Amino acid sequence: MIDEEMVNNGQQKTWQKIETALNESQVNFQIISISSNDQTSRTVQQLLATTTVQEINDCVIVTCGRNEFFLEVLSTLLHSAKQKIPVAFIPFETKNAFAKRIGVSFDPLLALKQILNTMRPTFYNLVEMDEAAHTTKKIFLDKVTIGFEAYFASLQRNSKLLIFMQKYHLTFLARLCGLADAFINQERFAATLRVARKYHFFKKAFAVRISNPTLETLAPHESQAETAPLLNVDVISSLNPFSFLILSLSRKFDLANKLPFVHRFKQNQVHLMINSLEFGQIDNRELTNKFYDVFFKIISYPFWFDVTSISLSQRKNIDTQHTDSKD
């Protein structure tokens, strides 16, 4: 599946190289172009309805384009397909925490090689985000942030002043200005967390983070999901510039749960309720300001990657070049 929106915005040559490599490898493939994110879910459902059971058993669905595009395809497959169809993606962006963590190359041709060299699927842990009213279901791979951190990220992405600073390599100054704005304008909020039938009330929370700590799982079947790793849920109850610095440093060494103002919970399913409009971010994508009455549940899904089929040094060299060129 091709994300035409990404291809038409400067990635046409990249797609042509991928198509050439597929033909040279004599791979049996079908191209499905999707012109906008609004059509993704409907196109995937149409594909499932018109594909035979035998064809589905023999296929792998690969997306080319943005991470947001892949997540929309994956979410539709998870909720519409009668079985778990293996998936893979070829990233056209370098801001993909999931690809970096599991070892997928940011070079499209190397990522394609990691897909073509695969003999069997690898199961990875995903997190399902399900509204209590069951009107919306989302999937995320890395983390969801709500409150201060999401507001700060929104400023970095949308403030014209901060964008101007970053454009002229004043990244550190842009971060300081963004932090100052976030501390001035982000208000504390009430949050309720239900974990293992027990409620935890936070009257003045600054931020909530739900993260997927370990991606690869040993459980190849849904019935074994109990052996999968648990979600990390952090509720930050106090924050100032000094404690924010301590928090940022402690996260680099996985020591955030030792801080007195960070409340850590571990569970495979949690229920979060926030009755005020708050900024949110899911895998580096902004959520609209909203109230939260959401269940988070960890699940496993098959991915078609052999990340070890190219050397670590080759992957690192290529990915460094991509990051540098983007900067």
Side-chain angles (χ1 to χ4, degrees), residues 48-62:
L48 295 173
T50 57
T51 306
T52 66
V53 174
Q54 183 59 47
E55 288 173 331
I56 286 180
N57 289 336
D58 294 337
C59 83
V60 175
I61 293 182
V62 182

Side-chain angles (χ1 to χ4, degrees), residues 188-211:
R188 291 182 285 183
F189 55 89
T192 302
L193 195 66
R194 184 163 71 91
V195 181
R197 299 183 180 180
K198 184 177 180 181
Y199 285 90
H200 302 267
F201 301 95
F202 301 92
K203 293 182 178 180
K204 296 182 178 180
F206 271 90
V208 177
R209 173 187 284 211
I210 299 96
S211 58

Side-chain angles (χ1 to χ4, degrees), residues 2-19 64-66 90-94 106 108 322 325-326:
I2 312 166
D3 180 4
E4 280 190 352
E5 186 175 334
M6 174 63 78
V7 170
N8 293 336
N9 287 332
Q11 296 288 354
Q12 185 64 42
K13 291 182 179 179
T14 301
W15 164 245
Q16 290 172 354
K17 290 179 181 178
I18 292 170
E19 189 173 15
C64 301
R66 299 166 298 170
I90 298 177
F92 282 16
E93 302 171 305
T94 57
F106 288 114
H322 275 252
S325 64
K326 189 173 182 66

Side-chain angles (χ1 to χ4, degrees), residues 4 87 184 245 267 284:
E4 280 190 352
V87 295
I184 291 171
L245 176 61
Q267 192 70 25
N284 295 317

Side-chain angles (χ1 to χ4, degrees), residues 72-226:
E72 186 67 25
V73 171
L74 177 56
S75 180
T76 305
L77 287 173
L78 189 64
H79 301 131
S80 300
K82 295 180 179 179
Q83 65 190 75
K84 292 183 176 179
I85 305 172
V87 295
F89 59 88
I90 298 177
F92 282 16
E93 302 171 305
T94 57
K95 291 184 178 180
N96 188 321
F98 179 74
K100 184 176 181 180
R101 286 175 66 184
I102 69 173
V104 174
S105 177
F106 288 114
D107 178 89
L109 293 181
L110 286 183
L112 176 61
K113 184 177 179 180
Q114 290 174 311
I115 295 169
L116 297 181
N117 289 343
T118 305
M119 300 300 293
R120 63 183 61 85
T122 300
F123 281 72
Y124 290 100
N125 294 313
L126 317 174
V127 184
E128 184 179 67
M129 182 176 173
D130 186 7
E131 301 280 353
H134 304 295
T135 55
T136 304
K137 284 188 178 182
K138 294 182 180 294
I139 294 293
F140 70 89
L141 307 170
D142 188 35
K143 64 179 180 292
V144 164
T145 56
I146 300 168
F148 181 87
E149 294 174 279
Y151 179 49
F152 173 53
S154 178
L155 289 172
Q156 294 286 102
R157 186 179 289 110
N158 299 314
S159 169
K160 292 182 179 180
L161 175 61
L162 300 187
I163 292 172
F164 176 82
M165 290 179 179
Q166 294 175 77
K167 181 179 179 180
Y168 290 96
H169 306 289
L170 300 173
T171 305
F172 181 72
L173 182 59
R175 282 186 61 84
L176 287 179
C177 292
L179 283 172
D181 192 337
F183 276 114
I184 291 171
N185 294 306
Q186 173 63 43
E187 297 181 355
R188 291 182 285 183
F189 55 89
T192 302
L193 195 66
R194 184 163 71 91
V195 181
R197 299 183 180 180
K198 184 177 180 181
Y199 285 90
H200 302 267
F201 301 95
F202 301 92
K203 293 182 178 180
K204 296 182 178 180
F206 271 90
V208 177
R209 173 187 284 211
I210 299 96
S211 58
N212 185 8
T214 306
L215 294 175
E216 189 168 354
T217 178
L218 298 176
H221 303 293
E222 194 168 337
S223 60
Q224 296 174 309
E226 293 179 2

